[in-house]
Amino acid sequence: MKPLRFLPLLSLAVIAHDQASAGQSQLSAGDIVFLAANSDSPDTFAFSPLVNIEAGTVIHFTDNSRTGTGTGFADWRKNTTGSFSEAPVYTWVAPTAVSAGTKISVIDTVHGAMGLATAGDTILAFQGDLYNPNFVAGVGWTSTDPFITTGTATSNNSYVPSTLTLGSTAVEVAVNTDNAAYNGSATGTTAALRTAVNTASNWITNETTVLAGPASLTVTDAANAALATKQLLGYNFGLTTTTYSESAVIAAANTTLSTFGFSGTGTKDIDGSSVLAGQAFQVTGGWDTNAIDTASQYFGFTLTVDPGFEFTLQDFGFAYQSAENITIGAYYSTDGFTTSNLLSSIAVTDTNVGASSLTGLNIDLQGPVAFRFYGSSAATGTLALEIDEVWLQGSVAAIPEPRAALLGSLGMLALLRRRRSA
């Protein structure tokens, strides 16, 4: 009988964990479809989920070219001259629960994310952090061959991610036109609509007029999307000075992210107004030779986890570039940097443009946790370092109360003993 008495306590702990971790839908390839893509002013695109998705669901959209086969981007943050180029990403966060078939329209000129090209372009939709993308949909238009299978990708075309398939989870409207929209049946099963929308012959085009596509879709067998086991938190600082922001783009329930700040002497550069794009600063006189020094220059932010909850950090990623040879250290601390823990150390040359992506960390964090990025170098002079696109993934769960559970169990045991003795 004793094991049965403990089961309700264990069930409560599991339920609390599931409720705290829920909130974002985990999409599979084909769970959303594009309904329109326009290169003429205003640049717009539209999409619709084929499944019901939760509030807080995050989907990224980019027109950046993939330069080869595989599941990710290859050096996707470099521009044609090899210099650091702000990632053209628009991040959409579901403000409420969204029913299957709902149309979501994005005006790119408002968000300043991409700048769709009349000479040819593609848009890829994905979830997860920017360095380990989970692709869910794609559309290519205007060019005679938006999605290529051989040769060198340009800013007007792209390879198809190996996890997407033209005709079922991505569509290529292979005509010379600036604007395209789906014009087929707007009602059907999930499978039927997925195939219909991703069939190029079901799209109409126009060289001068922006097309809207259907007002919505009716999904006759709509199901709920799976819940994600990881929550995404992080910063995407913007593409121009008008869209630049140091506030977090995404936060998870029961957590708070501070603004992304800079400490120390030097001049912070906002989104390419000086040396580098995005979040950057210059330091006159060189960097500290010590990799971590609380008196030195650093970028930083604080993750605060609500009392009674715990954030398990599983993945951590950021992009970087430096104007000189430098070592970048990413650290976290739970005691205000009286002590610290190294997450990543990267030796960067002045030609490096790259990203650090750490997975499988499984670090349990409670309360306020400070994260900092330090630079160290023996070089002198005016140096510049950029840290950009900072993303954390993990799960948020209520902390079990073992003492309360133990007291409750002891109480039940005492009651059983009294009943037996009676």
Side-chain angles (χ1 to χ4, degrees):
M1 295 295 293
K2 287 183 181 179
L4 294 177
R5 295 289 180 179
F6 283 101
L7 282 176
L9 298 173
L10 292 174
S11 299
L12 287 174
V14 172
I15 291 171
H17 183 280
D18 288 345
Q19 288 175 339
S21 298
Q24 182 181 176
S25 296
Q26 178 65 58
L27 302 177
S28 299
D31 277 352
I32 72 168
V33 289
F34 284 96
L35 298 179
N38 297 284
S39 299
D40 284 331
S41 180
D43 290 354
T44 62
F45 66 90
F47 68 97
S48 174
L50 297 181
V51 292
N52 303 318
I53 60 177
E54 296 286 331
T57 296
V58 180
I59 308 175
H60 298 300
F61 297 88
T62 181
D63 69 337
N64 199 289
S65 300
R66 291 187 61 260
T67 57
T69 58
T71 58
F73 295 96
D75 293 331
W76 74 309
R77 296 186 58 85
K78 289 184 179 180
N79 60 24
T80 55
T81 63
S83 301
F84 193 97
S85 178
E86 181 72 34
V89 173
Y90 167 64
T91 298
W92 178 81
V93 184
T96 60
V98 178
S99 299
T102 303
K103 179 182 179 181
I104 295 99
S105 299
V106 177
I107 302 177
D108 190 49
T109 53
V110 173
H111 300 286
M114 289 178 274
L116 303 174
T118 57
D121 225 328
T122 60
I123 302 175
L124 295 171
F126 62 96
Q127 285 190 305
D129 70 59
L130 277 64
Y131 319 113
N132 293 289
N134 169 43
F135 292 102
V136 294
V139 61
W141 77 108
T142 76
S143 172
T144 54
D145 193 12
F147 286 117
I148 61 175
T149 56
T150 60
T152 302
T154 69
S155 59
N156 303 119
N157 58 25
S158 174
Y159 279 80
V160 182
S162 59
T163 49
L164 297 180
T165 303
L166 292 177
S168 60
T169 55
V171 60
E172 179 181 62
V173 186
V175 294
N176 289 310
T177 185
D178 293 351
N179 311 297
Y182 175 65
N183 194 44
S185 174
T187 301
T189 64
T190 304
L193 285 171
R194 181 180 294 126
T195 299
V197 177
N198 286 305
T199 298
S201 59
N202 291 330
W203 284 60
I204 59 173
T205 61
N206 192 287
E207 190 67 23
T208 58
T209 302
V210 171
L211 301 173
S216 64
L217 301 176
T218 300
V219 187
T220 57
D221 62 344
N224 295 328
L227 288 178
T229 58
K230 297 179 182 179
Q231 301 297 303
L232 182 68
L233 305 82
Y235 303 84
N236 181 345
F237 300 111
L239 305 179
T240 65
T241 54
T242 57
T243 61
Y244 176 84
S245 174
E246 294 174 349
S247 298
V249 174
I250 305 164
N254 302 115
T255 68
T256 303
L257 282 176
S258 69
T259 56
F260 195 94
F262 162 68
S263 178
T265 58
T267 302
K268 184 169 66 173
D269 174 31
I270 298 176
D271 195 60
S273 59
S274 183
V275 178
L276 302 176
Q279 178 76 252
F281 63 87
Q282 304 171 67
V283 178
T284 301
W287 296 92
D288 291 332
T289 56
N290 184 13
I292 180 169
D293 180 348
T294 55
S296 67
Q297 302 82 7
Y298 61 83
F299 287 123
F301 65 95
T302 299
L303 167 68
T304 301
V305 186
D306 289 352
F309 289 86
E310 184 173 70
F311 178 76
T312 300
L313 177 62
Q314 296 169 323
D315 308 325
F316 180 80
F318 62 95
Y320 57 81
Q321 183 185 16
S322 175
E324 296 290 340
N325 297 349
I326 195 171
T327 298
I328 303 171
Y331 297 80
Y332 75 94
S333 174
T334 58
D335 59 10
F337 274 82
T338 300
T339 59
S340 61
N341 304 278
L342 178 66
L343 281 169
S344 177
S345 180
I346 305 169
V348 180
T349 69
D350 60 2
T351 59
N352 276 157
V353 179
S356 173
S357 183
L358 307 176
T359 59
L361 296 174
N362 294 319
I363 302 171
D364 295 329
L365 301 172
Q366 300 175 23
V369 183
F371 290 82
R372 292 180 182 177
F373 300 89
Y374 287 90
S376 62
S377 175
T380 60
T382 300
L383 310 180
L385 165 68
E386 175 173 348
I387 302 295
D388 204 355
E389 306 291 358
V390 180
W391 300 100
L392 299 82
Q393 283 194 120
S395 57
V396 186
I399 301 172
E401 299 182 13
R403 291 189 61 190
L406 179 60
L407 289 174
S409 302
L410 292 175
M412 286 189 287
L413 289 174
L415 179 60
L416 283 174
R417 288 178 179 175
R418 283 198 297 271
R419 287 181 176 175
R420 288 177 179 176
S421 62

